[in-house]
Amino acid sequence: MASPVAITGIPSIPAPQAQLGPGEIRAIVYGLMTAMLLAALDQTIVATAMPTIGLDLGDAANLPWIVTAYLLASTAVTPLYGKLSDIHGRRIMLLIAIATFVLGSLACALAPTMVTLALARGLQGIGGGGLIALSQTILADIMAPKERARYQVVIAGVFVAASVAGPLLGGLFAQHLHWSLIFWINLPIGVLAFALTNANLKRLPRNERRHRLDWPGAALLVLGSIALLLALSWGGVRYPWGSAPVLGLLALSAVLGGGFAARLATAAEPLIPTEVLKNQVVYSATLAACFAMGTFIGLTIYVPIFLEGVIGLTASESGVALVPLMVGTVTGATLSGRSMIYFRHYKRLPLAMMSVSLACCAVIAWQGRTLPFWLMELLFALLSMGIGTILPLSTIAIQNAVERHQLGIATAAMNFFRSLGGALIVAAFGTIVLGGAAGGAGGHDVESLIRGADPAQLALTFRFVFLAACLGLLAAFGFLALMEERPLREHSSPKMTGTPPETSG
């Protein structure tokens, strides 16, 4: 349809749109939480079913690709979703992400071989890379920063539900039904998310500022991040860190990263605007979240080995013992989000809690093996609570510090660098653990740590793991302390005055 300008030659003033009511906001939030649940559940439900999948498909050697393919794809495309949503609108990009994720889930459920399953997981990851970042961006579109803080308990609830239900459902489906159900379950959830978001997001405001996607920069970022993630995934596990494949991938990622940096400096409109990268709040909050989330992911992966190999718990007991570490982050995120509503100096609580986290981690590193079990569980809970306080604060602070037309790429960039930080810290933890295994038990894999390692030697190894975690927490604390504490905007974002509703994008 031709625009009024083309017909009359006179620019028209868009009719003011009604403000979104509480019921409409809740409906949008429910749709976004359903989309987030897709991505969050997929990160937890696969792990417990992997051994069964390997046996059923007869290709256990390539089993790690089920995780690696998804990680590579979802991390690499996250910035693209952010930029494309700034160009074409949030709604259309979120619908594309949901549809791609559901299509990938269908392909996973029907996969006859490990190769096809890995490829399907890559397709699933291409969709999953946009679900969380776009949902966070849309929340920023419809609510002022102070209003968004009220919904942190809902967002945190989605992730704790996925953390608890995912492993249970994965094990139940794999053992008593069929492993493909871990992918079939995404179809009804995805259809529900599509239906809820398709209708409710049509009233989102559109940013009329023109954008262009820097395709060369996007290609350099995607390929460079894939090379780096492959090196981090294979180093010390599939190949030695000093091997030609790992060093070659690291060199390739460095070259491509340098090319991307050059592109940022020379492109007319780079993929990530330089004013976003130079924004003091953006880079400080991103680095704080990067180190905090990376440390948390590393602990969730390796603490079960500590509990089984050093403390002597069974696999099921270690799963239960991990609950305080998981629930603590949700509690911390809720406290931090609520405090941002009432306190002008919203960094004080996270800084205080991060100090507690650092102290708890130091105690575990010092006396981990000799601590009473109840006290160790309490320390894990307090440790993760501090980490949880950073997560909502970093997202809201970044979205509060950038222009509306940069919300998508700023939020996506934060998620992208947070994922890369997680991969780097997990790789560092893995190098410490597997190096200790090689020195103590002669093993180079996780299974040998539990079955053949000397508990005393493993306890010494994990002392260095927890000391490394202390360094990660200290870095997160430092960048959070450096972050400028700008007052949160209190005006209502959902007032659609002066911007047409998002009907086509």
Side-chain angles (χ1 to χ4, degrees):
M1 181 181 295
S3 68
V5 178
I7 295 174
T8 65
I10 302 173
S12 65
I13 300 175
Q17 303 295 319
Q19 184 173 349
L20 293 178
E24 293 170 307
I25 290 178
R26 282 196 298 270
I28 291 176
V29 170
Y30 292 148
L32 297 178
M33 294 307 101
T34 308
M36 278 191 173
L37 181 62
L38 275 174
L41 189 63
D42 195 75
Q43 294 172 4
T44 60
I45 198 172
V46 174
T48 49
M50 285 179 64
T52 304
I53 295 173
L55 290 173
D56 190 54
L57 297 181
D59 189 4
N62 289 313
L63 196 60
W65 277 107
I66 295 179
V67 175
T68 304
Y70 185 92
L71 174 67
L72 294 176
S74 61
T75 302
V77 301
T78 296
L80 299 183
Y81 274 108
K83 188 68 174 184
L84 288 170
S85 75
D86 287 337
I87 298 174
H88 301 293
R90 320 290 187 216
R91 172 177 163 267
I92 187 62
M93 295 312 303
L94 183 60
L95 293 180
I96 289 173
I98 294 173
T100 305
F101 187 91
V102 170
L103 182 62
S105 299
L106 178 62
C108 288
L110 298 175
T113 66
M114 190 66 71
V115 173
T116 54
L117 178 59
L119 292 173
R121 283 282 287 169
L123 178 62
Q124 196 183 35
I126 291 174
L131 294 177
I132 293 177
L134 289 177
S135 296
Q136 292 174 331
T137 304
I138 293 170
L139 287 175
D141 283 330
I142 65 173
M143 285 182 261
K146 276 202 171 183
E147 294 176 88
R148 281 201 301 284
R150 299 179 186 273
Y151 285 87
Q152 291 308 311
V153 63
V154 181
I155 298 172
V158 169
F159 287 94
V160 74
S163 299
V164 175
L168 294 176
L169 288 174
L172 175 66
F173 291 159
Q175 184 175 352
H176 299 289
L177 298 168
H178 193 267
W179 61 263
S180 62
L181 284 172
I182 68 175
F183 301 113
W184 285 116
I185 195 175
N186 291 330
L187 271 62
I189 299 175
V191 170
L192 177 62
F194 193 98
L196 289 174
T197 54
N198 182 42
N200 294 323
L201 297 187
K202 288 183 178 180
R203 299 192 61 205
L204 278 182
R206 289 292 300 271
N207 296 309
E208 295 307 305
R209 178 184 291 247
R210 292 184 178 273
H211 288 285
R212 289 183 300 173
L213 180 62
D214 177 24
W215 288 106
L220 288 168
L221 180 64
V222 169
L223 295 176
S225 59
I226 287 176
L228 177 60
L229 288 170
L230 273 178
L232 296 175
S233 300
W234 287 349
V237 180
R238 186 168 181 174
Y239 302 104
W241 281 106
S243 65
V246 173
L247 292 178
L249 285 169
L250 290 174
L252 178 62
S253 69
V255 171
L256 293 171
F260 178 69
R263 188 68 189 173
L264 289 179
T266 57
E269 185 177 353
L271 180 66
I272 305 177
T274 53
E275 61 266 28
V276 171
L277 293 175
K278 292 178 180 179
N279 187 305
Q280 199 272 347
V281 173
V282 172
Y283 67 73
S284 298
T286 297
L287 288 170
C290 173
F291 280 100
M293 194 64 179
T295 302
F296 174 71
I297 293 172
L299 289 175
T300 59
I301 290 174
Y302 289 104
V303 162
I305 301 172
F306 170 77
L307 294 172
E308 294 177 46
V310 177
I311 306 301
L313 302 184
T314 65
S316 58
E317 289 171 343
S318 70
V320 175
L322 198 64
V323 170
L325 189 68
M326 307 298 291
V327 174
T329 55
V330 179
T331 305
T334 303
L335 290 173
S336 178
R338 301 299 292 181
S339 70
M340 295 182 79
I341 302 172
Y342 302 108
F343 299 111
R344 161 67 176 82
H345 297 289
Y346 48 81
K347 288 199 315 182
R348 289 179 179 176
L349 175 65
L351 287 173
M353 289 302 301
M354 282 300 294
S355 300
V356 174
S357 293
L358 191 56
C360 291
C361 195
V363 171
I364 297 172
W366 177 43
Q367 292 288 342
R369 192 181 183 190
T370 59
L371 289 172
F373 184 72
W374 67 268
L375 179 57
M376 184 170 60
E377 290 285 85
L378 177 62
L379 292 175
F380 279 137
L382 292 174
L383 189 161
S384 63
M385 281 179 64
I387 293 174
T389 60
I390 287 185
L391 304 182
L393 181 144
S394 59
T395 302
I396 294 174
I398 286 171
Q399 293 173 338
N400 183 67
V402 299
E403 299 293 333
R404 177 175 292 277
H405 66 275
Q406 297 171 337
L407 274 175
I409 188 58
T411 306
M414 177 200 66
N415 282 276
F416 172 76
F417 288 114
R418 198 161 71 178
S419 296
L420 281 185
L424 284 166
I425 293 177
V426 168
F429 284 11
T431 300
I432 296 171
V433 172
L434 295 176
H444 293 275
D445 57 77
V446 168
E447 187 176 354
S448 69
L449 297 179
I450 301 172
R451 293 187 177 181
D454 173 33
Q457 174 66 31
L458 194 56
L460 179 61
T461 297
F462 269 94
R463 174 170 293 181
F464 290 104
V465 171
F466 289 119
L467 287 174
C470 288
L471 292 177
L473 295 175
L474 184 61
F477 178 92
F479 284 114
L480 178 62
L482 290 173
M483 187 191 80
E484 182 183 346
E485 196 175 47
R486 298 181 185 176
L488 297 180
R489 295 191 302 268
E490 298 187 25
H491 61 271
S492 178
S493 296
K495 200 168 186 178
M496 310 298 186
T497 307
T499 56
E502 182 173 332
T503 55
S504 60

